[in-house]
Amino acid sequence: MMLFRRLLWTAAVARGVFAAENSSVYDYDVLQYVDPLIGSSNGGNVFAGASVPYGMAKAVADTDSENNQGGFAFDGSKITGFSNMHDSGTGGSPSLGNFALFPYTKCNNDDLDGCVYPKKARKIGYDSNSVKATPGYFGLAMNSGVQVDMTASHHTSLFRFRFPTDNASSPLILLDLTDLSDSRQDNASVSVNATTGRMIGNARFLPSFGSGSYNLYFCADFRSSAKVRDSGIFVDSRASNEVQDLKISRSINGYPLPGGGFIRFHSPPDNTILARVGVSFISSEQACSSAESEIPGFDFNSTHSTAVKLWTEKLAPIRVSREGVNSSMLTNFYSGIYRTMISPQDYTGENPLWNSTEPYFDSFYCLWDSFRSQFPFLTIFDPSSVARMIRSLIDTQRHLGWLPDCRMSLCKGFTQGGSNADNILADAYLKGLSDGIDWDAGYRAVQKDSEEEPYDWSNEGRGGLVSWKKLNYIPVQDFDYQGFGTMTRSISRTLEYSYNEFVISQMALGLNKTSDFEKYRNRSGYWQNLWKADQTSFLNAVNTGFTGFFQPKYLNGTWGFQDPLMCSNIDNSGSICSLQNTAGETFESSIWEYQFFVPHDMTTLITLLGGPSQFVKRLDYLHDNNITYIGNEPAFLTVFQYHYAGRPAKSAQRSHFYIPRFFQTTPDGLPGNDDSGAMGSFVAMSMMGLFPNPGQNVYLIMPPFFESISITSPLTGRTATVRTENFDPTYQNISIQSATLNGEPYHKNWIDHDFFTEGKELVLVLGPNESQWGTNNEDLPPSVSSKAARSAELKGPGLS
Ligand SMILES: *[C@@H]1O[C@H](CO)[C@@H](O)[C@H](O)[C@H]1NC(C)=O
Ligand SMILES: *[C@@H]1O[C@H](CO)[C@@H](O)[C@H](O)[C@H]1NC(C)=O
Ligand SMILES: *[C@@H]1O[C@H](CO)[C@@H](O)[C@H](O)[C@H]1NC(C)=O
Ligand SMILES: *[C@@H]1O[C@H](CO)[C@@H](O)[C@H](O)[C@H]1NC(C)=O
Ligand SMILES: *[C@@H]1O[C@H](CO)[C@@H](O)[C@H](O)[C@H]1NC(C)=O
Ligand SMILES: *[C@@H]1O[C@H](CO)[C@@H](O)[C@H](O)[C@H]1NC(C)=O
Ligand SMILES: *[C@@H]1O[C@H](CO)[C@@H](O)[C@H](O)[C@H]1NC(C)=O
Ligand SMILES: *[C@@H]1O[C@H](CO)[C@@H](O)[C@H](O)[C@H]1NC(C)=O
Ligand SMILES: *[C@@H]1O[C@H](CO)[C@@H](O)[C@H](O)[C@H]1NC(C)=O
Ligand SMILES: *[C@@H]1O[C@H](CO)[C@@H](O)[C@H](O)[C@H]1NC(C)=O
Ligand SMILES: *[C@@H]1O[C@H](CO)[C@@H](O)[C@H](O)[C@H]1NC(C)=O
Ligand SMILES: *[C@@H]1O[C@H](CO)[C@@H](O)[C@H](O)[C@H]1NC(C)=O
């Protein structure tokens, strides 16, 4: 079944690519432009190692950096080991990083206790010039002279250790029952088979931004031209070859007591040892059988070439004209695309929590980040994977009661505001994804978010629903006795819940649930209840000149107060703005930024803010004064909201203001956590010149950063093209003068998803100055309260 689907899919893509208008322009190897090291330092927290698309096994060198959330931080920190599971770009504590291997050429004095076992004592530097990362491969040279290369299949890592020539070598490789954040719980175990050298075992760990715990199993096998000398276990700093089985406690002091297994070889003639590590959430047997079937012969090259092939296929749909463009732009673009397929991770067949024939994905970390452009982007060029992710989200709701908002390592992650899975489901629904998705179940799942309050809304759903339905806003210091969570963020929750209601109304509309549609559309207007028309804002005691901002409101209807700049990027007063129970009424950002988060009713918002020109002034003020920070996801849409005020040229200018200035192709080049590829999708979709308003069938049109771009829909095999005239690779000509769609004049400054599935051609004539194109009322994207939206509603979403 799987094989059959893959063949069909590849054929569809190949057809599309060859059907592209000018195949010679688009005929190049994209992987040369993927640099997995982008974002691997300075808090980007990107996973830089070896993985297949959405793979569960992720091999990399782990470091002792402050920023080791993704394992390897390319910042001169020391290597603590080479482990098998990772997340990418996350904040919070370091995620996963389980069962690290660590190699020695020999132990001091040829004594087992002459090797150093504890992670904190054994860590070591590496040659920074030796670091090499490409899709499906990572390698470096340790200061001990050991060259370590790694590649991966879906559930299995393959490590190659090449030891320096040393006539007294007797290489030892240890396997540590640890993880990156030292969260191991009681009773981890390892058993080493003295005959085969196989190590199996498991340990329970904690998720990095959520509740509960997870149990992970491993199966490690080793292959070398040398004979096994001995094997055994270690505890703390001592090892023995007379003991093969260990069950170890967490212990009470400091980080978990070091413990694990080791295997030692005689001197290998070729100085090489291969280690194959399978992982499973089900059992060691399953870890072993995955490893045996995925990498039967320990063949490094063929495992690597399979990974390269999978990445090449995934990246096949998107091609650009490279004419005149600085290659760093191509690297920025393709590396961003690549990072959108590291996570979520496909754990189908690895879910111990319930039995189901549905796919199971994990590492949705977090949907608050990824609904904004990562999911909409994948829906364009990898819709079959998105369909499987959505089936998994719906199946998770079926078995655990609620759609996740964040999920990692089989655990519930913390909610940040709204119920953002609603936005993801609606986005895919409106764009016609079907592919086995039970949309009735999907609708019931999103509706539950709106109607039922979970007991623990820190982990799922929404809080404050009694007030929401009675008062029509989330009050500051709410009285909420039905469910429990952190009683903060009343403004950002009100805004995000309003948007969730809107997207639910759009699904209801598509499913012909007319009264639901009206109910949720009505609720989608509740954001207006926190609008305080006479609120001012001062920056360094100087009036910003703008009046009217969102403000907190008590249960009794009296206004509270939060400085509109509190928690902004330029708030240096030490405000607490995350999930702390002392935090403010906006999450990780200010009222100034959240005031633009009304993605469904920009018409009403613009009116409240004083009309289009006042709106544009406010948006400029937000960006020009660094009130927003492009390194956090709420900033994404603000770059392009000029479109709604009839100024599409300013959206293009703004995106060039941020790219490449804030998105460089260096390890420290990202402005913040990549957040599972959220930043990657932002940079790629911005450069593509089509940015989504997520949860709506709307892409805002800008000139691409390339002369032309072609995207083949894997669903239909058709190729959509954006072609420009007067393209200037120094980006002086970034204003659209006129456009045609399939040869007909096109004035709207947005386009819908049919563009991709039907393979249309958009031609943009560019020039240096802002023009009249896309500026009239009828050219603007739909808003719930505008005429355009009403007629779109009558038509309903087209399920293609
Ligand atoms: C197609 O490719 C050829 C050869 O590279 C080039 O000369 C021509 O300009 C291209 N045409 C378009 C429309 O990009
Ligand atoms: C190993 O090399 C060292 C230094 O080159 C030499 O002194 C020693 O005799 C060699 N030992 C063996 C076993 O060949
Ligand atoms: C760990 O193992 C000990 C000894 O077998 C047992 O008493 C204890 O209940 C176990 N702890 C857990 C958390 O399973
Ligand atoms: C070690 O592996 C061999 C070969 O699979 C097996 O026959 C043997 O029973 C294993 N030993 C232990 C102690 O499990
Ligand atoms: C593996 O690939 C490398 C580089 O492509 C090549 O030099 C080497 O000979 C290959 N090794 C094997 C065992 O095929
Ligand atoms: C290409 O971009 C890089 C990185 O921004 C820059 O250092 C380099 O000067 C650019 N090259 C040219 C020819 O503009
Ligand atoms: C899933 O099915 C297997 C085999 O029937 C069973 O052993 C296991 O307990 C089931 N798991 C759950 C969570 O129900
Ligand atoms: C909704 O109603 C329209 C018009 O009656 C019909 O064409 C469409 O198939 C219906 N959609 C669903 C999902 O029932
Ligand atoms: C919307 O809700 C308000 C208050 O809950 C109510 O008065 C109004 O009639 C509703 N409108 C619609 C169209 O349902
Ligand atoms: C409303 O509640 C707030 C917070 O408890 C209180 O400060 C305020 O005085 C109340 N207003 C009225 C009119 O009772
Ligand atoms: C905004 O921040 C940039 C650096 O990121 C700085 O160059 C610029 O001067 C700042 N602008 C203002 C108005 O503070
Ligand atoms: C920019 O656009 C103008 C037309 O407005 C055109 O004359 C010029 O050649 C373009 N610049 C480049 C570098 O193509």
Side-chain angles (χ1 to χ4, degrees):
M1 181 66 184
M2 285 278 285
L3 184 62
F4 180 61
R5 287 178 71 155
R6 164 142 324 128
L7 285 175
L8 276 179
W9 183 87
T10 310
V13 169
R15 230 184 9 256
V17 168
F18 292 122
E21 205 184 312
N22 196 338
S23 61
S24 62
V25 167
Y26 298 128
D27 185 15
Y28 55 90
D29 165 29
V30 286
L31 295 199
Q32 66 182 302
Y33 299 116
V34 174
D35 182 354
L37 292 168
I38 294 173
S40 64
S41 73
N42 193 33
N45 298 350
V46 163
F47 169 74
S51 167
V52 297
Y54 316 114
M56 173 162 144
K58 297 202 191 295
V60 83
D62 291 334
T63 56
D64 68 347
S65 170
E66 296 271 284
N67 294 312
N68 67 349
Q69 277 83 349
F72 182 71
F74 201 178
D75 58 8
S77 49
K78 293 209 159 54
I79 291 174
T80 56
F82 301 88
S83 76
N84 303 286
M85 301 267 295
H86 291 90
D87 276 313
S88 189
T90 64
S93 309
S95 206
L96 301 163
N98 321 75
F99 309 127
L101 302 178
F102 196 88
Y104 287 103
T105 307
K106 60 186 173 190
C107 299
N108 275 343
N109 303 321
D110 201 31
D111 176 0
L112 276 176
D113 287 343
C115 277
V116 180
Y117 298 92
K119 180 161 74 171
K120 287 181 182 167
R122 71 182 182 231
K123 64 189 183 184
I124 185 171
Y126 58 94
D127 173 4
S128 62
N129 293 317
S130 72
V131 174
K132 194 166 169 244
T134 55
Y137 169 83
F138 183 90
L140 54 69
M142 302 167 75
N143 282 354
S144 56
V146 183
Q147 168 71 36
V148 191
D149 304 297
M150 59 214 78
T151 183
S153 58
H154 201 95
H155 308 90
T156 311
S157 311
L158 185 63
F159 298 91
R160 180 173 60 203
F161 299 100
R162 282 180 291 181
F163 297 90
T165 308
D166 178 340
N167 64 1
S169 85
S170 180
L172 178 144
I173 296 173
L174 67 83
L175 181 150
D176 195 339
L177 296 169
T178 188
D179 67 336
L180 272 170
S181 57
D182 293 325
S183 75
R184 194 190 76 219
Q185 303 295 293
D186 203 10
N187 292 359
S189 77
V190 59
S191 293
V192 188
N193 185 314
T195 313
T196 62
R198 169 172 280 187
M199 296 181 197
I200 59 169
N202 74 293
R204 186 167 286 282
F205 302 99
L206 303 183
S208 58
F209 187 68
S211 311
S213 67
Y214 67 96
N215 196 354
L216 185 68
Y217 299 84
F218 64 89
C219 175
D221 290 295
F222 302 86
R223 182 163 292 187
S224 171
S225 55
K227 285 216 155 54
V228 174
R229 180 175 169 192
D230 57 4
S231 63
I233 59 104
F234 70 90
V235 175
D236 210 350
S237 58
R238 293 291 171 253
S240 168
N241 57 15
E242 290 168 11
V243 187
Q244 305 288 317
D245 301 287
L246 171 71
K247 179 161 96 169
I248 187 169
S249 98
R250 175 168 170 82
S251 150
I252 55 167
N253 283 321
Y255 73 115
L257 197 57
F262 74 85
I263 183 166
R264 195 159 56 149
F265 292 84
H266 293 289
S267 186
D270 62 357
N271 298 313
T272 301
I273 295 173
L274 290 155
R276 181 186 72 186
V277 186
V279 281
S280 171
F281 288 104
I282 303 290
S283 64
S284 291
E285 291 69 34
Q286 185 153 320
C288 294
S289 68
S290 295
E292 285 163 3
S293 68
E294 291 172 11
I295 311 186
F298 288 70
D299 185 335
F300 194 94
N301 279 13
S302 88
T303 307
H304 179 207
S305 22
T306 301
V308 165
K309 187 164 154 279
L310 292 173
W311 281 113
T312 304
E313 282 172 11
K314 282 293 179 204
L315 291 163
I318 305 183
R319 287 293 183 279
V320 298
S321 158
R322 299 175 294 169
E323 196 62 34
V325 170
N326 187 326
S327 72
S328 75
M329 291 289 168
L330 294 154
T331 301
N332 227 337
F333 183 65
Y334 280 113
S335 303
I337 300 174
Y338 166 81
R339 296 201 304 276
T340 64
M341 292 179 282
I342 306 280
S343 284
Q345 300 179 18
D346 188 347
Y347 291 178
T348 304
E350 290 292 340
N351 177 8
L353 302 177
W354 63 84
N355 283 322
S356 170
T357 53
E358 286 296 277
Y360 179 72
F361 277 71
D362 199 292
S363 290
F364 292 112
Y365 199 159
C366 295
L367 300 185
W368 184 85
D369 302 299
S370 49
F371 88 82
R372 296 169 204 264
S373 51
Q374 185 170 355
F375 270 84
F377 190 36
L378 292 173
T379 298
I380 296 170
F381 75 95
D382 194 8
S384 62
S385 294
V386 173
R388 286 165 50 77
M389 290 173 202
I390 285 180
R391 285 167 60 184
S392 170
L393 290 170
I394 294 171
D395 204 42
T396 300
Q397 191 276 332
R398 199 175 277 132
H399 290 93
L400 299 184
W402 299 95
L403 289 164
D405 194 52
C406 198
R407 191 166 177 81
M408 77 286 304
S409 326
L410 303 170
C411 295
K412 294 175 180 180
F414 300 129
T415 57
Q416 287 160 278
S419 43
N420 298 296
D422 307 348
N423 304 352
I424 287 173
L425 263 61
D427 191 84
Y429 176 74
L430 297 176
K431 290 170 184 171
L433 243 60
S434 46
D435 210 357
I437 302 171
D438 178 349
W439 280 120
D440 289 318
Y443 181 72
R444 286 194 300 275
V446 300
Q447 188 179 31
K448 187 175 176 187
D449 282 335
S450 178
E451 297 298 346
E452 266 183 59
E453 179 163 334
Y455 177 74
D456 174 11
W457 51 266
S458 285
N459 277 299
E460 54 214 358
R462 308 187 207 156
L465 287 184
V466 170
S467 295
W468 184 244
K469 290 178 200 171
K470 192 168 137 216
L471 303 174
N472 304 340
Y473 59 93
I474 297 296
V476 59
Q477 292 172 19
D478 194 11
F479 174 55
D480 188 356
Y481 56 90
Q482 293 201 329
F484 304 91
T486 306
M487 288 286 206
T488 54
R489 303 159 288 144
S490 62
I491 296 174
S492 51
R493 281 166 56 210
T494 294
L495 288 160
E496 294 188 8
Y497 293 0
S498 298
Y499 191 54
N500 299 148
E501 303 285 12
F502 170 75
V503 301
I504 295 170
S505 79
Q506 297 303 291
M507 284 182 73
L509 182 65
L511 294 165
N512 290 339
K513 298 176 192 292
T514 313
S515 66
D516 281 7
F517 161 63
E518 282 171 9
K519 174 166 75 171
Y520 297 119
R521 186 179 61 178
N522 195 353
R523 287 190 194 167
S524 80
Y526 289 178
W527 59 275
Q528 293 175 58
N529 295 324
L530 294 189
W531 178 257
K532 187 158 181 271
D534 61 355
Q535 181 62 50
T536 52
S537 168
F538 285 73
L539 171 54
N540 301 326
V542 177
N543 195 331
T544 58
F546 300 102
T547 307
F549 288 90
F550 293 113
Q551 281 294 299
K553 198 186 261 183
Y554 290 105
L555 279 158
N556 61 12
T558 300
W559 289 108
F561 173 71
Q562 176 171 312
D563 185 324
L565 285 168
M566 181 182 148
C567 296
S568 73
N569 186 44
I570 53 171
D571 174 1
N572 298 318
S573 68
S575 304
I576 304 290
C577 311
S578 190
L579 290 178
Q580 304 88 342
N581 57 16
T582 52
E585 300 309 318
T586 42
F587 179 72
E588 283 189 358
S589 189
S590 59
I591 289 172
W592 252 97
E593 179 155 88
Y594 272 105
Q595 74 181 316
F596 297 102
F597 191 72
V598 188
H600 54 304
D601 199 0
M602 294 302 297
T603 301
T604 303
L605 181 70
I606 288 170
T607 305
L608 281 178
L609 295 184
S613 71
Q614 274 299 310
F615 174 84
V616 166
K617 270 194 194 154
R618 260 198 215 215
L619 207 43
D620 278 343
Y621 195 90
L622 175 88
H623 290 287
D624 292 340
N625 291 284
N626 295 334
I627 295 169
T628 184
Y629 176 51
I630 201 65
N632 206 9
E633 285 72 13
F636 286 6
L637 198 57
T638 67
V639 175
F640 309 103
Q641 282 176 313
Y642 297 101
H643 270 69
Y644 286 87
R647 301 288 299 276
K650 285 190 70 82
S651 298
Q653 286 162 15
R654 202 48 86 180
S655 90
H656 284 273
F657 171 82
Y658 286 115
I659 301 170
R661 188 174 303 139
F662 288 81
F663 294 86
Q664 303 275 323
T665 54
T666 50
D668 63 359
L670 291 187
N673 306 153
D674 199 40
D675 289 320
S676 296
M679 290 289 148
S681 64
F682 172 79
V683 80
M685 291 197 87
S686 302
M687 295 181 84
M688 191 167 100
L690 292 167
F691 202 84
N693 187 339
Q696 300 176 43
N697 193 356
V698 169
Y699 302 90
L700 308 174
I701 301 171
M702 267 90 40
F705 283 51
F706 309 102
E707 183 165 20
S708 69
I709 171 159
S710 90
I711 301 158
T712 302
S713 166
L715 285 181
T716 61
R718 298 205 180 142
T719 297
T721 319
V722 182
R723 205 156 53 72
T724 60
E725 287 173 18
N726 302 328
F727 176 77
D728 169 9
T730 68
Y731 305 116
Q732 304 305 305
N733 283 353
I734 53 168
S735 296
I736 297 171
Q737 309 295 304
S738 64
T740 59
L741 183 65
N742 286 350
E744 299 291 322
Y746 194 74
H747 301 285
K748 287 183 188 164
N749 67 27
W750 62 284
I751 203 160
D752 70 17
H753 192 67
D754 289 351
F755 174 70
F756 296 104
T757 49
E758 293 178 10
K760 298 180 183 174
E761 186 194 39
L762 182 64
V763 178
L764 305 176
V765 178
L766 307 183
N769 301 317
E770 202 168 346
S771 77
Q772 286 301 307
W773 179 84
T775 60
N776 295 320
N777 263 342
E778 58 272 23
D779 303 334
L780 310 185
S783 272
V784 102
S785 56
S786 73
K787 283 195 201 119
R790 299 243 184 272
S791 59
E793 269 163 22
L794 291 177
K795 206 177 97 206
L799 292 182
S800 53

